Amino acid sequence: MTVLVPTAVIGPKAQGRNYGLRRYAGPRLTSESQARLADFALSLAGWAMLRRPCFTAMLPLAADGSSFAVVRARHMGEGELGPVAVAHLIVADSALLEALDWASPRLLSLLPEPEDATFGSSLLPVSPADLARSAPPPMANPRVGWSDIAIDVGDEDPEVVLRALVEGVDPPAQRASLMGWASTSLIAPAGALDPARTFKLVTHASAESPAAFQASHELASLQAAAETPLAWKAWLKLAAIAEREPAANALRSAQWSQDKARLPAGDVMFEEIASACASLKPTAMVELLRAVMRHAEGADPVSQALRDGVSETFDALVAVADAQGAAFYVRGLTDGVSPVALRGLDAVVAKPEVAAWLGDIVHRLDLAKVARAWAASLAMDPAFADTLAAAGPAFLDAVLDVALADLGDEDARRLVGTLLRLQCLRPIQEGARIRVVLAALLAAPPGDADAALADRTVLAAARTFAPELSAILTVRAVPAGLRHARRPVELTRAAWALVAAEKDGRTAR
């Protein structure tokens, strides 16, 4: 396929002054394209004052990305009224660039040096296939095409490096984001032409200052290439997940920007994942989180960044949900064939008001962590015992069974005693479980944790289901409850347990 493209020449119409369109061959330009070329002509006049040898560039001629100008400019010497620079242009539409796999710098090989007096008088034939065969070897830089970047090429030719960098963009379709580039950092703003916004890739010699791009672009060096930012690696993997996983389709809206390279990778992942979730219903949110986690099981830093992003998103979701809503997210992530383990999930499960909604899937949860969290909370705040009942019988019993394995710890023993007391308060009690728990607690050395058993309902349950343990329970629990009560309600329970024990003693005599 060969297409004919418009050509043009921009330069001074007088000897170094009045820069504008000197020749043009092609269909009539739109008013927008004419205005943009006029702005470039002013910028070219400013560049001429610097008396640098040459540069190449591409800039959009339409806001919708349908038309572009590929430019080769050169300083031609001094005119009577000032320095002279001339630029040769090819006007390429998006269809031609797509045929070139968006490797737009390939068109530079068709642009003669501005000394050619005949250029701009006729349309130029372009064969994308021929240009592809003569394309330069690619140079890989994982940030080109994804991040606005200005690269110091040292003593290398900026044009040669630019062409190689664009060829090296992976995947090639990402080249479409390079809607503007330049082989110099010295193009000045003019009219609506803002180089910092127009040029996504800038290559420049070491002698040129990239100060104009410092606020908007990532500054890099060809000779001392920095380590690829972890945030960038994680973002690439997230983009791949979006393509591979239908449930993660909402992540396709994620956009990379160079400022993200400076942020912690986990924060960037949280921003992208949470933003995608914002437009989804809760069920779809859960499926998206699960989809990301399926690809974040490795021990590498990228997988860790993805896990951090999912965990922070989960934390944000449950922070604004009620107990039932939080339980919905926990259930969605832990129930099913492949449960998801998240940082922060155990803390949510450990909230008794959330646990109340999870009794039917309690077997799928890491209850050892819940037991440790509950034991620590109970050690710090005795009032936590009053909120435990909200977790529901099934959940409480499951945690009790797990906590029994850690009775060497005083806090765990206090938790077990508290859970046993809550079970003894139920209208229907499990005698076998009560007997096993009492036997395990009383087999441990006496301690402050025995105070949790100083309750008349516990003494009554012992007389019913473990009468042989009743006496030792009374001797250990009641004095401990009276001595080590940490709040008035505990002292009251211990006192009533003492009354009940004395009454039972009189009755026995």
Side-chain angles (χ1 to χ4, degrees), residues 225 489 499:
V489 67
V499 171

Side-chain angles (χ1 to χ4, degrees), residues 5-6 58-59 61 65-70 89-97 100 104 107:
V5 298
M58 184 180 82
L59 58 151
L61 296 182
S66 60
S67 180
F68 301 85
V70 178
L89 292 77
I90 290 175
V91 178
D93 59 21
S94 57
L96 174 58
L97 296 190
L100 291 168
S104 50
L107 293 170

Side-chain angles (χ1 to χ4, degrees), residues 136-147:
M139 179 185 297
N141 184 311
R143 282 163 286 178
V144 173
W146 300 89
S147 170

Side-chain angles (χ1 to χ4, degrees), residues 144 149 151 162 165-166 178 180-182 199-203 217:
V144 173
I149 186 169
I151 301 177
L162 186 145
L165 287 171
V166 174
L178 294 172
W181 42 259
F199 302 125
K200 305 301 181 182
L201 170 63
V202 176
T203 56
H217 286 53

Side-chain angles (χ1 to χ4, degrees), residues 452-473:
L453 301 172
D455 189 287
R456 54 186 172 177
T457 59
V458 178
L459 300 184
R463 289 195 302 273
T464 302
F465 301 114
E468 74 280 8
L469 301 175
S470 180
I472 187 173
L473 172 64

